[in-house]
C-alpha cells in the first residue's frame, strides 16, 4: 500500500446539480448553521456575511427562517444568534442510531482503564475528525478536554492519520489533495511529519503524534473499516508526562490493537490493512 504524499490534486467531481433555488437555499442554510456551531460566541448577521461570503440580505432571510424553524435563537436586544436544543436533538438522533458506537463502547472503556488514558472513537466530517465517543478512565489524573462532537485536525493528529491510513489509495490521495489546499504554505511542514506516520501505519497498523496538535499532548491511534465500508479511528492519549513515546509504543500500542481487534470482531468489520506484521 502506497502512503507517501505526492502533492496530488483533488479529483474532478464533474458538474454538480445545484441549479434550483431550493438546493442553493438549503446549502446556504447549512453553511450558516456550521459557522454558528463553530463560533466561540454568538454570531451576528454581519459576521456571518463576512465568514460565508453570502450577501447580508440573504443571510438575514436565512437566520430569520432558522429562528422560525427553531434551530436558532436571537439573543434579546441583540442581532446575534446561537443554536438551540433542536440542533442537539439532531445530533442525539445520530448517536442513538449509531450502532457501531454503542457496540464499540465496552472495548473503548476497557482500553481507557487498561492504559489510564482518554480514548476517543472518531469519524471524518469534511476536513476534520469528529469524536463520536469519549471515554475517560476512572483512574486518570490528567485527561483531555475533548467531548463528543469535538473536532480534531486530520493531518496533525494520530486519529486523523489513522483514518487516512484506513482509506483506500484513491480516497486517501483525494483527501490529501484537499488538505494540501486548505493548509496552504504550512503544507510542507505538515507533510514532513505526516508521511513517516502514514508509512508507520502501513507497516504496523497504528500512528503516533507527539505534541504536534497541542504541545504536551501525545497520542496513538488505529483505524478500522465498518461492515458498511465506513472508516473509523480509535485514539488513545494524554499528557506527555503521563504517556511518553516509549510508554505508548511498549504499552499503549498492544492495548490499542487488541481493542480494535475486539471491535471489528463484534461489528463484523476489519482492522486497517498493514504490511509489516
Amino acid at each position: 500500500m502506497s502512503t507517501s504524499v505526492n502533492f496530488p490534486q483533488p479529483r474532478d467531481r464533474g458538474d454538480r446539480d445545484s441549479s434550483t433555488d431550493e438546493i442553493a437555499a438549503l446549502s446556504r442554510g447549512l453553511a450558516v448553521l456550521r459557522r454558528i456551531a463553530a463560533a466561540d460566541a454568538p454570531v451576528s448577521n454581519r459576521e456571518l456575511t463576512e465568514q460565508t461570503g453570502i450577501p447580508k440580505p440573504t443571510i438575514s432571510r436565512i437566520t430569520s427562517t432558522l429562528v422560525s424553524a427553531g434551530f436558532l435563537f436571537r439573543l434579546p436586544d441583540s442581532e446575534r444568534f446561537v443554536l438551540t436544543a433542536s440542533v442537539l436533538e439532531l445530533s442525539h438522533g445520530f448517536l442513538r442510531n449509531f450502532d457501531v458506537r454503542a457496540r464499540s463502547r465496552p472495548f473503548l472503556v476497557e482500553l481507557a482503564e487498561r492504559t489510564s488514558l482518554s480514548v476517543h472513537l472518531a469519524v471524518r466530517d469534511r476536513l476534520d475528525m469528529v469524536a463520536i465517543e469519549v471515554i475517560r478512565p476512572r483512574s486518570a489524573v490528567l485527561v483531555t478536554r475533548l467531548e463528543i462532537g469535538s473536532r480534531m485536525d486530520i493531518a496533525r493528529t494520530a486519529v486523523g492519520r489513522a483514518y487516512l491510513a484506513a482509506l483506500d489509495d484513491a480516497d486517501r490521495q483525494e483527501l490529501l489533495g484537499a488538505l494540501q489546499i486548505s493548509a496552504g504554505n504550512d503544507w510542507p511542514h505538515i507533510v514532513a511529519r505526516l508521511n513517516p506516520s502514514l508509512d508507520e501505519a502501513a507497516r504496523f497498523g497504528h500512528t503516533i503524534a507527539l505534541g504536534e496538535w497541542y504541545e504536551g499532548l501525545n497520542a496513538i491511534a488505529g483505524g478500522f473499516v465498518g461492515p458498511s465500508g465506513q472508516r473509523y479511528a480509535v485514539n488513545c492519549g494524554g499528557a506527555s508526562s503521563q504517556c511518553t513515546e516509549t510508554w505508548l509504543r511498549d504499552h499503549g500500542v498492544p492495548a490499542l490493537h487488541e481493542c480494535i481487534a475486539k471491535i471489528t470482531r463484534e461489528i463484523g468489520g476489519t482492522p486497517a490493512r498493514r504490511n509489516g506484521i
Side-chain angles (χ1 to χ4, degrees):
M1 179 176 68
S2 173
T3 57
S4 295
V5 181
N6 298 314
F7 294 92
Q9 295 300 317
R11 194 185 301 167
D12 182 7
R13 293 184 178 272
D15 294 334
R16 297 182 184 273
D17 181 16
S18 57
S19 58
T20 66
D21 291 341
E22 290 83 1
I23 292 176
L26 175 60
S27 178
R28 287 176 167 181
L30 292 173
V32 167
L33 286 174
R34 283 170 174 156
R35 290 290 181 176
I36 295 174
D40 295 327
V43 185
S44 68
N45 283 335
R46 178 181 59 80
E47 291 167 336
L48 288 169
T49 295
E50 293 172 352
Q51 294 170 8
T52 64
I54 301 172
K56 188 173 181 181
T58 304
I59 285 288
S60 297
R61 289 195 295 270
I62 291 172
T63 53
S64 177
T65 300
L66 291 171
V67 168
S68 298
F71 289 100
L72 290 184
F73 175 73
R74 178 178 169 180
L75 298 180
D77 302 320
S78 171
E79 293 292 331
R80 295 182 174 275
F81 301 89
V82 295
L83 299 180
T84 69
S86 293
V87 176
L88 191 60
E89 289 173 7
L90 294 177
S91 65
H92 283 172
F94 167 77
L95 293 174
R96 271 197 311 273
N97 294 291
F98 206 91
D99 192 50
V100 170
R101 171 179 174 262
R103 294 170 68 180
S104 299
R105 196 173 197 280
F107 309 115
L108 300 174
V109 171
E110 183 181 30
L111 176 62
E113 295 302 330
R114 181 174 171 182
T115 61
S116 297
L117 299 175
S118 296
V119 171
H120 314 95
L121 177 65
V123 296
R124 174 193 165 198
D125 179 35
R126 291 165 288 161
L127 298 184
D128 292 316
M129 297 298 294
V130 177
I132 60 172
E133 184 63 282
V134 177
I135 307 296
R136 295 186 176 92
R138 290 169 295 180
S139 58
V141 177
L142 298 172
V143 295
T144 64
R145 297 180 181 179
L146 294 176
E147 304 288 348
I148 292 176
S150 293
R151 292 180 172 271
M152 295 167 279
D153 187 284
I154 288 182
R156 294 185 297 154
T157 61
V159 70
R161 294 167 179 176
Y163 174 86
L164 279 166
L167 295 175
D168 60 40
D169 290 343
D171 288 339
R172 184 185 311 107
Q173 292 302 314
E174 180 179 16
L175 178 52
L176 287 169
L179 291 170
Q180 176 187 347
I181 292 172
S182 177
N185 293 334
D186 291 336
W187 185 246
H189 173 73
I190 293 172
V191 81
R193 293 190 174 188
L194 175 60
N195 270 340
S197 188
L198 291 180
D199 289 340
E200 180 172 16
R203 295 179 61 200
F204 304 117
H206 62 264
T207 63
I208 188 167
L210 305 171
E212 295 177 49
W213 189 38
Y214 284 119
E215 185 177 355
L217 181 63
N218 293 345
I220 54 172
F224 66 92
V225 184
S228 63
Q230 168 73 298
R231 267 61 174 179
Y232 305 87
V234 176
N235 185 75
C236 180
S240 57
S241 58
Q242 180 184 10
C243 53
T244 63
E245 178 179 3
T246 299
W247 190 95
L248 284 173
R249 294 192 184 280
D250 290 347
H251 301 282
V253 165
L256 174 69
H257 283 302
E258 184 176 326
C259 173
I260 292 174
K262 290 179 178 179
I263 290 173
T264 52
R265 283 197 297 268
E266 172 69 20
I267 67 173
T270 56
R273 294 174 298 166
R274 46 179 166 158
N275 302 328
I277 55 177

